[in-house]
Amino acid sequence: MSSGSPTFTGSNAEQTRRHNRCVVLGQIRRAGSMGRADMARASGLSVQAVSNIIASLERDGMLLEAGQRSRGRGLPAPQYALNPDGGYALGFEVRLHSTSVTLLNLMGELRLSQRLPLTDNDPSSVSRQLRQQMRTVLANTGVDSRLLLGAGVVMPGPFTPTGLANTSSVLPHWQDIDAGRLFSKALSIPVLVENDANAAAVGEHVSGCTESLSNYAFIYFGTGVGLGIVHQGQLFRGGSGNAGELGHILVPMPETGIAPRPGIPMRMTPLENMASRSTLLQRLAAAGLKTTTDAELEALAAADDPVLQQWLHDASASLSHAVHVVENLFDPDTVVLGGALPDAILTPLVEGISLAEHSTAQRTNRVMPRVMQGHSGAFSAARGGAALVINSLFTPHTLS
Amino acid sequence: MSSGSPTFTGSNAEQTRRHNRCVVLGQIRRAGSMGRADMARASGLSVQAVSNIIASLERDGMLLEAGQRSRGRGLPAPQYALNPDGGYALGFEVRLHSTSVTLLNLMGELRLSQRLPLTDNDPSSVSRQLRQQMRTVLANTGVDSRLLLGAGVVMPGPFTPTGLANTSSVLPHWQDIDAGRLFSKALSIPVLVENDANAAAVGEHVSGCTESLSNYAFIYFGTGVGLGIVHQGQLFRGGSGNAGELGHILVPMPETGIAPRPGIPMRMTPLENMASRSTLLQRLAAAGLKTTTDAELEALAAADDPVLQQWLHDASASLSHAVHVVENLFDPDTVVLGGALPDAILTPLVEGISLAEHSTAQRTNRVMPRVMQGHSGAFSAARGGAALVINSLFTPHTLS
DNA sequence: ATTATTAACTCAAGCAAGTTGAACTTACAA
DNA sequence: TTGTAAGTTCAACTTGCTTGAGTTAATAAT
C-alpha cells in the first residue's frame, strides 16, 4: 500500500502546548541552562507563556533550578536545566540470535546495557524476553518504572507503510506484524520502532558528535551497511520507511580478481559486498581465519593482518564513493560513520576515506569536517533506540 | 555557515488557525469538494471549528459552494470546492539570457506563460524585468494584483543557508544577494526562491502525476540534471539548500571511446556528462549538427538521427543507474522524470530506463509505476515556481 | 549613601480559537 | 405519520497565549 498524501491533522490548544513544551525543553537542552527571558526571546513566546510551561515541566520533574545568572543590570534570572533523572528511555535491539537493551537518562547518558541470547524469535517470545529485560534493567538501576518515557525498538526491515511489519525480513514469523503495537502492549509504555541506521543516527544527535547539528547523514555498519538521514531535526524515512538502503547502491569494484556479474555493464557491486562486516568475515574465512567476535577482530587489527588491511583498503575506497553520493544527494552538514564495528576497525576505515574535491560539500564556509566517526560498538543500535524516545521530547512533532 | 539546530519557534492560537486553514484547504483540494462533517472527520477537528474556518475562507473568496450531497439519511451536506479564481501565483525562471513567467490559478491551472530575453542579469536589472513581466501578465489576463498570493522564483544555485545567495553561481553579480528579499521588495508580494529541480518537483504535485502522492523523487533535466525530493509533502533541501545534485554522482561510462580520467578508479563519469541536454548538444555539435532549439531536437527525433539515438541509449543507461540509487536512498513512491526537454526526447529517454529487479523499490504492494514521465517543456521550471506558492497554501508549514 | 535605570519576573485581565452539548433541519425508513 | 440518522448552527465553556501593570534586585550615576 502506497502512502498517498498524509492527511494532515488539525491542531488545538492542547497540541499547541505540547509543541511549545518541546520547543522549551529543546532550548534548555541545547543551551545547558537558561532563564525564562532567554527562552522567550529564542522561541518567540511571551515570557508569561514560558513561565507557565516551566512551572508545568518543573512539576513533572523534568527541570531543576540551576542557580542564577546576572548579566549586568537587572534582576538575576533563575536558570533552569534538565533533570537528568527526570525520565528514562529504554532502547532495544532485536537480532536473529540476541536481544540487547540500554537505558538512557534524559541527558542521553547511558545508564546500563545488557545483551541476552535469543532462542526463539517469534513475536511472542521476543515480547516476553524484552519484558523480562525491562524488569531486569529497572531492578539493577533502581529506576522507577513510572519514570520510563517509552522504548525504542530496533529491528531489521524492510518495513511497510502501515506501521512496522516486514515481508521478507531477516526475522521469520514477523510478516505483517505491527511490532510497535505488540511491544507497546508487552511493555506498557509507548514504543517506537526503527531500523538500525535510523536509530543510530538519532543516537548521535542525542549524545554524540551531531548534538548541535540538524542536518547530517549517518552511515551505519550492521550486518550490512545502512544510512540514516536527519533533516531539519527529523528522520528521513521515505515512502515506506525503507529509505537509506546505502548497501544496495553499486560502487566500482577494485580489481580483486572477482569476475563481474553478467548484466551489469561495468564492474560494479553493491556497497555491502565491499564494506560490510559480513564481507570482512567472509574474506577472513576464505583466508582460513575463523573470526566472529569483536575481540578477535581487534586482535587482527593490532597484528596488522594483511587480509584485514586489504579489506580496509577496498572498503574505504567503496565508502569514499558512497559518501560522495550521499554528500551530493542529501547535502548534509557532515557524514558520520559508526555502528557495530570495533573502533580498531572503524577508525582506519574512516581515515581511509578520500573525498573528491569536486563536490557540493566542498564549500568554503563549512564548519564541520566532511566525515566524522560516531558511536561504535555492539550497543550503538540499542542506544539509538532509546535515543529515539529522548529525542522526541525535544523535537516538536511537526506532522500529525 | 552551517545550519546548526533550527531554533524551533513557539506556537499560539493564531498559528494554530493558520495551520488548520491549510489542513482544511488541502483536504478540499484533494477531494475536489467536501462537506463540513467530512472535513471534521478527516482532520480530527470539531465540526464547529471546521465551520468557522470555512466561513473565513469563504469570506476570503477561496471557497465556493458546490451543491449539496446526500448520503442516505440525514441533512444533505453543502459541499465546498476551491474557487479557481480565488487566488493566483506567479512563477519566474531566471536564466542567464532569459526570464520566463507563468501564472497559475488556485487549482494549479496554467493561465499564461511568457519568455523574454534578458540582456543584463545583474540583480537590479533582473528585478526590473520581473516587475515588468508581472505587470504584463496581470494586464493580459485581467487578474487583479490583489489576488496574487505570491511568486516563486527559480534560480540556479548553489545556495547558502542564509536565504538564497550564491557563491560561484552560473549567474554573475549575485554573490551573497538575498534574492528572496530583493524580489519580494520589487514585486511587493511574498517570494519563494528555489532551484529548478525542487520547483519542478512541487509543480508535479500541484498539477501532474504526483497529485495524490506525498513521497516521490523528480529528476529534472535543465542545463544539467537535478533531483527534487518531496518527503511527507515537504521538499528535502539538505543542510544548505543544495540537496539533489544528482548530476554530480558518478555512473559507469559505456564504452564510447572516451578515455577515463586519472584518479577515478574505474570508468566512471558524472551523470550530467551522460544524460544532460548540454551533453546531447555537444555530441550533436561534434557530429557537425549545430542544434540548439527544441524544434530542431524534435526534428532530429522524428528523423531517427543516429547520434541522438546513441545518446538516448547511453543516457538511459546512465539514468537507470541513477534511478536505482535514488530508489534505494530515498524510497520514493515513484520517480518522475521531466524538465526542459521536448517530449520527443523525454519519452524515449524514460522508456529506455531499465531497472534492476533487486531493489527496495521492488515491492509486491506498489501501486505506482517505478518510473513516470512528468511535465516537460520550456516552462516546467517557471510553472514549478508558481506551484511552490500554491502548494504552500495546502501544506501546513510544519516548522517555524 | 542615595537615586535612577535596567532586566527579569509575577499577577490579573483579555483574547483567540477549539470543544462541547443542546437545538434545529432535512432525508430516508419503518 | 412517525422515528431515526446525519449535518449544521448556536451558545456556553475551556485551554493557552498575550498584554500591561506592578514587583524585585542588581548595576550605574549622582
Side-chain angles (χ1 to χ4, degrees):
Chain A
M1 180 180 61
S2 180
S3 59
S5 274
T7 298
F8 294 111
T9 113
S11 186
N12 55 25
E14 188 184 339
Q15 294 193 283
T16 297
R17 171 58 79 105
R18 228 200 310 276
H19 174 95
N20 289 343
R21 267 175 73 114
C22 280
V23 169
V24 166
L25 266 182
Q27 279 166 347
I28 295 174
R29 174 184 156 72
R30 272 188 293 278
S33 69
M34 282 179 107
R36 297 174 227 270
D38 284 328
M39 300 182 216
R41 276 186 293 266
S43 63
L45 293 169
S46 63
V47 178
Q48 189 57 50
V50 170
S51 213
N52 293 338
I53 291 168
I54 296 275
S56 136
L57 288 170
E58 215 178 356
R59 268 197 306 278
D60 294 351
M62 310 270 280
L63 291 186
L64 292 176
E65 275 205 54
Q68 299 206 328
R69 178 168 161 184
S70 167
R71 275 176 303 192
R73 290 186 185 180
L75 187 65
Q79 301 294 106
Y80 290 88
L82 289 183
N83 177 8
D85 301 315
Y88 295 88
L90 284 169
F92 292 101
E93 184 187 16
V94 178
R95 296 171 60 103
L96 205 53
H97 300 301
S98 67
T99 62
S100 302
V101 64
T102 63
L103 184 72
L104 294 188
N105 68 13
L106 261 193
M107 301 287 287
E109 295 158 344
L110 186 64
R111 290 291 306 270
L112 196 79
S113 54
Q114 180 204 56
R115 165 162 292 178
L116 283 185
L118 182 66
T119 48
D120 300 314
N121 53 30
D122 61 292
S124 66
S125 300
V126 171
S127 294
R128 257 196 312 275
Q129 177 144 332
L130 296 197
R131 190 173 166 78
Q132 185 52 48
Q133 268 182 310
M134 174 173 79
R135 289 216 193 91
T136 307
V137 167
L138 292 180
N140 290 0
T141 55
V143 166
D144 187 326
S145 68
R146 285 166 299 186
L147 289 176
L148 281 182
L149 300 165
V153 181
V154 173
M155 296 182 69
F159 300 102
T160 67
T162 58
L164 319 128
N166 33 22
T167 52
S168 62
S169 167
V170 184
L171 286 176
H173 313 304
W174 285 80
Q175 270 81 356
D176 295 321
I177 298 283
D178 185 339
R181 182 178 300 272
L182 176 74
F183 292 136
S184 184
K185 220 175 249 177
L187 304 175
S188 309
I189 50 178
V191 168
L192 302 170
V193 178
E194 274 294 344
N195 68 47
D196 46 12
N198 281 353
V202 173
E204 209 65 33
H205 194 235
V206 163
S207 72
C209 62
T210 55
E211 282 184 42
S212 63
L213 298 181
S214 55
N215 294 283
Y216 61 91
F218 189 103
I219 296 179
Y220 178 86
F221 297 98
T223 311
V225 183
L227 176 70
I229 294 289
V230 174
H231 183 235
Q232 294 179 12
Q234 302 275 338
L235 276 177
F236 183 99
R237 290 193 178 79
S240 56
N242 296 304
E245 281 289 8
L246 190 64
H248 290 182
I249 75 167
L250 299 176
V251 295
M253 201 160 68
E255 298 301 334
T256 49
I258 310 168
R261 288 194 202 169
I264 295 180
M266 296 206 99
R267 294 185 174 208
M268 306 285 285
T269 187
L271 175 65
E272 56 190 10
N273 285 359
M274 295 302 303
S276 67
R277 181 189 181 106
S278 58
T279 304
L280 169 59
L281 297 186
Q282 276 169 31
R283 281 210 199 173
L284 291 170
L289 291 164
K290 273 247 169 211
T291 315
T292 51
T293 68
D294 278 12
E296 288 168 328
L297 288 177
E298 279 164 4
L300 289 175
D304 282 341
D305 177 82
V307 178
L308 174 58
Q309 295 302 318
Q310 181 64 44
W311 177 82
L312 279 172
H313 179 268
D314 295 343
S316 286
S318 302
L319 281 172
S320 302
H321 182 94
V323 169
H324 181 258
V325 170
V326 168
E327 282 186 343
N328 280 291
L329 295 189
F330 292 99
D331 184 29
D333 289 337
T334 191
V335 178
V336 185
L337 291 95
L341 282 177
D343 275 339
I345 307 280
L346 188 59
T347 302
L349 195 59
V350 173
E351 283 169 356
I353 290 174
S354 69
L355 296 171
E357 297 295 311
H358 185 69
S359 166
T360 306
Q362 193 60 23
R363 300 191 287 276
T364 53
N365 49 4
R366 58 180 307 124
V367 294
M368 301 295 288
R370 286 169 70 180
V371 171
M372 303 179 73
Q373 182 175 342
H375 278 285
S376 58
F379 290 100
S380 56
R383 253 188 87 265
L388 291 169
V389 176
I390 299 295
N391 190 55
S392 71
L393 293 176
F394 306 117
T395 307
H397 300 285
T398 54
L399 302 176
S400 99
Chain B
M1 180 181 59
S2 178
S3 58
S5 273
T7 298
F8 295 111
T9 109
S11 186
N12 55 25
E14 189 184 339
Q15 295 194 283
T16 297
R17 172 57 79 101
R18 227 200 311 277
H19 174 95
N20 288 344
R21 267 175 74 115
C22 281
V23 169
V24 166
L25 266 181
Q27 279 166 348
I28 295 175
R29 174 183 156 72
R30 273 189 292 278
S33 70
M34 280 179 108
R36 294 168 169 84
D38 284 327
M39 299 183 216
R41 275 187 293 265
S43 64
L45 292 170
S46 63
V47 179
Q48 189 57 49
V50 170
S51 215
N52 293 338
I53 291 168
I54 295 275
S56 137
L57 287 171
E58 215 178 356
R59 269 197 306 279
D60 294 350
M62 310 270 281
L63 290 187
L64 292 176
E65 275 205 53
Q68 299 206 329
R69 178 168 161 186
S70 168
R71 274 176 303 192
R73 289 186 186 181
L75 188 64
Q79 301 294 106
Y80 289 88
L82 289 183
N83 177 6
D85 300 315
Y88 296 87
L90 283 169
F92 293 101
E93 184 186 18
V94 178
R95 296 170 60 103
L96 205 54
H97 300 302
S98 66
T99 62
S100 302
V101 64
T102 63
L103 184 73
L104 295 188
N105 68 14
L106 261 194
M107 301 287 288
E109 295 159 343
L110 185 64
R111 289 291 306 271
L112 196 79
S113 55
Q114 180 205 56
R115 166 162 291 177
L116 283 185
L118 181 67
T119 50
D120 300 314
N121 53 31
D122 60 290
S124 65
S125 300
V126 171
S127 294
R128 258 196 311 277
Q129 176 145 333
L130 297 196
R131 190 175 166 78
Q132 185 52 49
Q133 268 182 308
M134 175 173 76
R135 289 215 193 90
T136 307
V137 166
L138 293 180
N140 289 0
T141 54
V143 167
D144 187 326
S145 69
R146 285 167 299 186
L147 289 177
L148 280 182
L149 300 165
V153 180
V154 174
M155 296 182 68
F159 299 101
T160 68
T162 59
L164 319 128
N166 35 21
T167 53
S168 61
S169 167
V170 185
L171 286 176
H173 314 303
W174 285 79
Q175 270 81 358
D176 296 321
I177 297 283
D178 185 339
R181 183 179 299 272
L182 177 74
F183 293 135
S184 184
K185 221 175 248 177
L187 304 176
S188 308
I189 49 177
V191 168
L192 301 170
V193 178
E194 274 296 342
N195 68 47
D196 45 12
N198 282 353
V202 173
E204 208 66 33
H205 194 234
V206 163
S207 72
C209 63
T210 56
E211 282 184 43
S212 63
L213 297 181
S214 56
N215 294 284
Y216 61 92
F218 190 103
I219 296 180
Y220 178 86
F221 297 99
T223 311
V225 183
L227 177 70
I229 293 289
V230 174
H231 183 235
Q232 295 179 13
Q234 301 275 338
L235 275 176
F236 183 98
R237 290 193 178 79
S240 57
N242 296 305
E245 281 289 6
L246 190 64
H248 290 182
I249 75 167
L250 300 176
V251 296
M253 200 161 65
E255 298 302 333
T256 49
I258 310 168
R261 288 195 202 168
I264 295 181
M266 296 206 99
R267 296 188 173 207
M268 304 286 284
T269 188
L271 176 65
E272 57 190 8
N273 285 0
M274 295 303 303
S276 67
R277 182 189 181 106
S278 57
T279 303
L280 169 58
L281 297 186
Q282 275 170 33
R283 282 209 198 173
L284 291 170
L289 291 164
K290 274 246 168 211
T291 315
T292 51
T293 67
D294 278 12
E296 287 169 329
L297 287 177
E298 280 165 2
L300 288 176
D304 282 341
D305 176 83
V307 177
L308 173 58
Q309 295 301 318
Q310 181 64 44
W311 177 84
L312 279 172
H313 179 268
D314 294 344
S316 285
S318 302
L319 281 171
S320 302
H321 183 93
V323 169
H324 181 258
V325 170
V326 168
E327 282 186 342
N328 280 290
L329 295 190
F330 292 99
D331 184 28
D333 289 337
T334 192
V335 178
V336 185
L337 291 94
L341 282 177
D343 275 340
I345 307 280
L346 188 58
T347 303
L349 195 59
V350 174
E351 283 170 354
I353 290 175
S354 69
L355 296 172
E357 296 295 310
H358 185 68
S359 166
T360 306
Q362 193 60 22
R363 300 192 287 275
T364 53
N365 48 4
R366 57 180 308 124
V367 294
M368 301 295 288
R370 286 168 71 179
V371 170
M372 302 178 74
Q373 183 173 342
H375 278 286
S376 58
F379 289 100
S380 55
R383 254 188 86 264
L388 291 169
V389 176
I390 299 296
N391 191 55
S392 71
L393 293 176
F394 306 117
T395 308
H397 301 283
T398 53
L399 301 177
S400 98

